[in-house]
Amino acid sequence: FEYQGQKCSACSRAYVPRSMWPEFQSKLQDEIGKLKQGQPDDFEVFVTAVIDKTSFDKISGYIDRAKASDECEIIAGGGYDDSVGYFIEPTVIVTKDPNYETMRDELFGPVLTVFVYDDADWEATLKLCDEASQYALTGAVFARDRAVISQASRALRNTAGNFYINDKCTGSIVGQQPFGGARGSGTNDKSGSAAHFLRWMSARSTKETFVPLTQVAYPHQQP
């Protein structure tokens, strides 16, 4: 919800195991309730307005469709007001459909969509996570079991150019942490790293011979 979700690394979808969902939901709602929304010149404010009417209309449209959908439930936020600025409440949608539009599309707003999966479907959920969206910039996994972390890292190797383990999927500082993603997120050039400079170069290979050839045939072809 930082910057009203208007940054490319903002967390927009989450997959939560059913056994952990009641506790997770309660804590998530409590934390969202603490986020102060208002004008940006108030330093206690965490969430302010989205950038313009186009963004406001787009995001509020997604929220309205979620409210009307039998596949979705809004458990936090869901309100919006453009009377003075384009304000949208930090919103959490819980969906029964892992391919619901807000699990696939980039809203660029303060909206998080959650899919609650059965614990036994862990591996299938990794596949869902990998295939749900065209974007592949950032992602995170939270787990204590190192085997599970390793499994997730392998399964999601093409899902996120910046992959976080037990940390939020946003907030990297270019120059300290190479940053970039593939698929619809770009060419994964990793700005802030030496790899990025290669995109601005045209490589050339040069060979200089100091012992010239004196015959066409190779040595093993000589009589």
Side-chain angles (χ1 to χ4, degrees):
F1 301 118
E2 190 175 17
Y3 299 120
Q4 302 71 247
Q6 298 175 123
K7 56 178 180 176
C8 50
S9 60
C11 181
S12 59
R13 57 187 171 118
Y15 301 81
V16 182
R18 196 169 303 279
S19 62
M20 298 185 67
W21 175 239
E23 180 182 4
F24 185 92
Q25 176 181 351
S26 176
K27 290 183 177 180
L28 178 62
Q29 290 171 316
D30 286 346
E31 289 301 317
I32 290 175
K34 299 175 185 177
L35 301 180
K36 184 176 180 179
Q37 187 170 26
Q39 297 296 332
D41 56 357
D42 179 349
F43 288 175
E44 293 184 357
V45 164
F46 191 85
V47 181
T48 183
V50 297
I51 190 168
D52 57 21
K53 178 174 173 54
T54 299
S55 179
F56 177 87
D57 290 344
K58 172 186 174 182
I59 299 165
S60 60
Y62 277 104
I63 292 174
D64 286 344
R65 290 194 295 276
K67 289 178 179 178
S69 173
D70 293 335
E71 298 293 322
C72 298
E73 177 188 3
I74 294 181
I75 64 166
Y80 49 84
D81 182 2
D82 64 348
S83 58
V84 181
Y86 300 108
F87 288 91
I88 297 178
E89 294 178 351
T91 299
V92 178
I93 301 169
V94 179
T95 182
K96 301 174 185 176
D97 179 6
N99 292 307
Y100 185 69
E101 62 177 357
T102 54
M103 294 290 282
R104 302 190 319 266
D105 299 349
E106 183 180 56
L107 277 62
F108 227 63
V111 179
L112 170 68
T113 304
V114 178
F115 175 69
V116 181
Y117 67 89
D118 292 330
D119 293 42
D121 293 336
W122 161 245
E123 292 186 4
T125 303
L126 287 175
K127 183 175 174 60
L128 282 173
C129 183
D130 178 44
E131 297 177 351
S133 174
Q134 65 171 310
Y135 301 104
L137 185 58
T138 68
V141 61
F142 291 83
R144 294 191 179 97
D145 188 322
R146 297 307 304 183
V148 167
I149 292 171
S150 179
Q151 180 186 23
S153 181
R154 290 194 303 272
L156 304 175
R157 62 188 177 277
N158 296 315
T159 312
N162 282 58
F163 186 68
Y164 298 79
I165 299 170
N166 293 327
D167 198 0
K168 57 186 171 63
C169 65
T170 186
S172 68
I173 301 174
V174 175
Q176 297 182 21
Q177 179 182 1
F179 187 80
R183 297 180 179 172
S185 295
T187 53
N188 203 17
D189 290 325
K190 291 293 185 288
S191 57
S193 75
H196 185 251
F197 289 104
L198 296 177
R199 285 288 178 178
W200 304 94
M201 300 178 182
S202 178
R204 181 176 72 167
S205 297
T206 302
K207 176 187 177 183
E208 181 178 358
T209 297
F210 294 97
V211 180
L213 295 174
T214 58
Q215 57 191 19
V216 175
Y218 291 100
H220 72 276
Q221 296 172 328
Q222 301 301 312

